[in-house]
Short mmCIF file of all heavy atoms in Angstrom, two decimals:
data_model
loop_
_atom_site.label_atom_id
_atom_site.label_comp_id
_atom_site.label_asym_id
_atom_site.label_seq_id
_atom_site.Cartn_x
_atom_site.Cartn_y
_atom_site.Cartn_z
N THR A 45 114.35 133.19 178.08
CA THR A 45 115.29 132.70 177.08
C THR A 45 115.08 133.55 175.84
O THR A 45 113.97 133.66 175.33
CB THR A 45 115.03 131.22 176.75
OG1 THR A 45 115.18 130.46 177.95
CG2 THR A 45 116.02 130.71 175.72
N LEU A 46 116.15 134.17 175.38
CA LEU A 46 116.08 135.09 174.25
C LEU A 46 116.80 134.48 173.05
O LEU A 46 117.80 133.78 173.21
CB LEU A 46 116.72 136.42 174.63
CG LEU A 46 116.15 137.06 175.91
CD1 LEU A 46 117.02 138.20 176.37
CD2 LEU A 46 114.73 137.52 175.67
N GLN A 47 116.29 134.72 171.86
CA GLN A 47 116.86 134.11 170.66
C GLN A 47 118.29 134.56 170.37
O GLN A 47 119.11 133.77 169.95
CB GLN A 47 115.97 134.40 169.45
CG GLN A 47 114.67 133.64 169.52
CD GLN A 47 114.89 132.14 169.64
OE1 GLN A 47 115.68 131.57 168.90
NE2 GLN A 47 114.23 131.51 170.59
N SER A 48 118.58 135.82 170.56
CA SER A 48 119.94 136.31 170.40
C SER A 48 120.18 137.37 171.47
O SER A 48 119.30 138.15 171.79
CB SER A 48 120.18 136.88 169.01
OG SER A 48 119.28 137.91 168.73
N VAL A 49 121.40 137.36 172.00
CA VAL A 49 121.70 138.21 173.15
C VAL A 49 123.04 138.90 172.94
O VAL A 49 124.01 138.27 172.52
CB VAL A 49 121.77 137.36 174.45
CG1 VAL A 49 122.09 138.22 175.64
CG2 VAL A 49 120.48 136.60 174.67
N ILE A 50 123.08 140.19 173.21
CA ILE A 50 124.33 140.94 173.26
C ILE A 50 124.48 141.39 174.70
O ILE A 50 123.62 142.07 175.24
CB ILE A 50 124.31 142.15 172.32
CG1 ILE A 50 124.10 141.71 170.88
CG2 ILE A 50 125.59 142.95 172.46
CD1 ILE A 50 123.89 142.85 169.91
N VAL A 51 125.58 140.98 175.34
CA VAL A 51 125.77 141.23 176.76
C VAL A 51 126.94 142.19 176.96
O VAL A 51 127.99 142.04 176.36
CB VAL A 51 126.06 139.91 177.52
CG1 VAL A 51 126.30 140.17 178.99
CG2 VAL A 51 124.92 138.93 177.33
N ASP A 52 126.71 143.19 177.81
CA ASP A 52 127.77 144.12 178.19
C ASP A 52 128.14 143.81 179.64
O ASP A 52 127.38 144.13 180.55
CB ASP A 52 127.28 145.55 178.05
CG ASP A 52 128.36 146.57 178.34
OD1 ASP A 52 129.53 146.17 178.52
OD2 ASP A 52 128.04 147.77 178.38
N ILE A 53 129.28 143.18 179.85
CA ILE A 53 129.70 142.84 181.21
C ILE A 53 130.87 143.72 181.67
O ILE A 53 131.66 143.33 182.51
CB ILE A 53 130.03 141.35 181.39
CG1 ILE A 53 131.10 140.89 180.41
CG2 ILE A 53 128.79 140.51 181.26
CD1 ILE A 53 131.54 139.45 180.62
N ALA A 54 130.92 144.92 181.13
CA ALA A 54 131.92 145.88 181.60
C ALA A 54 131.53 146.33 183.01
O ALA A 54 130.38 146.22 183.42
CB ALA A 54 131.98 147.08 180.66
N THR A 55 132.48 146.84 183.74
CA THR A 55 132.22 147.32 185.09
C THR A 55 131.25 148.50 185.02
O THR A 55 131.50 149.48 184.31
CB THR A 55 133.53 147.75 185.77
OG1 THR A 55 134.44 146.66 185.71
CG2 THR A 55 133.29 148.15 187.21
N PRO A 56 130.13 148.43 185.74
CA PRO A 56 129.16 149.53 185.68
C PRO A 56 129.68 150.77 186.38
O PRO A 56 130.55 150.69 187.25
CB PRO A 56 127.94 148.96 186.41
CG PRO A 56 128.48 147.89 187.29
CD PRO A 56 129.69 147.34 186.61
N PRO A 57 129.16 151.95 186.01
CA PRO A 57 129.63 153.19 186.62
C PRO A 57 129.32 153.28 188.11
O PRO A 57 130.05 153.93 188.85
CB PRO A 57 128.91 154.29 185.85
CG PRO A 57 127.83 153.62 185.11
CD PRO A 57 128.17 152.17 184.98
N SER A 58 128.25 152.65 188.55
CA SER A 58 127.95 152.62 189.98
C SER A 58 127.59 151.19 190.35
O SER A 58 127.13 150.42 189.53
CB SER A 58 126.78 153.56 190.31
OG SER A 58 125.61 153.11 189.65
N GLY A 59 127.83 150.83 191.58
CA GLY A 59 127.58 149.45 192.00
C GLY A 59 128.70 148.54 191.55
O GLY A 59 129.84 148.96 191.42
N GLY A 60 128.39 147.32 191.27
CA GLY A 60 129.41 146.39 190.84
C GLY A 60 128.77 145.13 190.28
O GLY A 60 127.57 144.96 190.29
N LEU A 61 129.61 144.27 189.79
CA LEU A 61 129.17 142.99 189.26
C LEU A 61 129.56 141.89 190.23
O LEU A 61 130.61 141.95 190.86
CB LEU A 61 129.83 142.70 187.92
CG LEU A 61 129.37 143.49 186.72
CD1 LEU A 61 130.24 143.17 185.52
CD2 LEU A 61 127.93 143.18 186.40
N ASN A 62 128.73 140.87 190.32
CA ASN A 62 129.12 139.68 191.07
C ASN A 62 128.85 138.47 190.19
O ASN A 62 128.32 138.58 189.08
CB ASN A 62 128.40 139.60 192.42
CG ASN A 62 126.91 139.53 192.28
OD1 ASN A 62 126.38 138.83 191.42
ND2 ASN A 62 126.20 140.25 193.14
N LEU A 63 129.22 137.31 190.66
CA LEU A 63 129.09 136.11 189.83
C LEU A 63 127.64 135.78 189.50
O LEU A 63 127.36 135.21 188.45
CB LEU A 63 129.77 134.93 190.54
CG LEU A 63 131.28 135.08 190.70
CD1 LEU A 63 131.84 133.93 191.51
CD2 LEU A 63 131.95 135.15 189.36
N PHE A 64 126.71 136.14 190.36
CA PHE A 64 125.31 135.87 190.07
C PHE A 64 124.83 136.74 188.91
O PHE A 64 124.10 136.27 188.04
CB PHE A 64 124.45 136.10 191.31
CG PHE A 64 124.75 135.12 192.41
CD1 PHE A 64 125.39 135.53 193.56
CD2 PHE A 64 124.41 133.79 192.27
CE1 PHE A 64 125.68 134.63 194.56
CE2 PHE A 64 124.69 132.87 193.27
CZ PHE A 64 125.32 133.30 194.42
N ASN A 65 125.21 138.01 188.89
CA ASN A 65 124.85 138.89 187.77
C ASN A 65 125.39 138.33 186.45
O ASN A 65 124.69 138.32 185.44
CB ASN A 65 125.42 140.29 187.95
CG ASN A 65 124.94 141.01 189.16
OD1 ASN A 65 125.75 141.28 190.04
ND2 ASN A 65 123.67 141.32 189.24
N LEU A 66 126.63 137.88 186.49
CA LEU A 66 127.25 137.36 185.27
C LEU A 66 126.55 136.09 184.80
O LEU A 66 126.30 135.92 183.61
CB LEU A 66 128.73 137.08 185.52
CG LEU A 66 129.57 138.31 185.81
CD1 LEU A 66 130.98 137.91 186.19
CD2 LEU A 66 129.59 139.23 184.61
N TYR A 67 126.22 135.21 185.73
CA TYR A 67 125.53 133.97 185.35
C TYR A 67 124.20 134.27 184.68
O TYR A 67 123.88 133.72 183.62
CB TYR A 67 125.31 133.08 186.57
CG TYR A 67 124.41 131.91 186.26
CD1 TYR A 67 124.90 130.82 185.55
CD2 TYR A 67 123.06 131.93 186.60
CE1 TYR A 67 124.08 129.76 185.21
CE2 TYR A 67 122.23 130.88 186.28
CZ TYR A 67 122.74 129.80 185.58
OH TYR A 67 121.91 128.77 185.25
N VAL A 68 123.42 135.14 185.27
CA VAL A 68 122.11 135.47 184.71
C VAL A 68 122.27 136.08 183.32
O VAL A 68 121.59 135.69 182.37
CB VAL A 68 121.33 136.43 185.64
CG1 VAL A 68 120.09 136.97 184.95
CG2 VAL A 68 120.96 135.73 186.93
#
Side-chain angles (χ1 to χ4, degrees):
T45 300
L46 307 168
Q47 289 304 312
S48 58
V49 179
I50 300 173
V51 179
D52 184 7
I53 56 176
T55 305
S58 63
L61 287 174
N62 61 42
L63 295 175
F64 294 109
N65 299 115
L66 295 173
Y67 171 76
V68 170

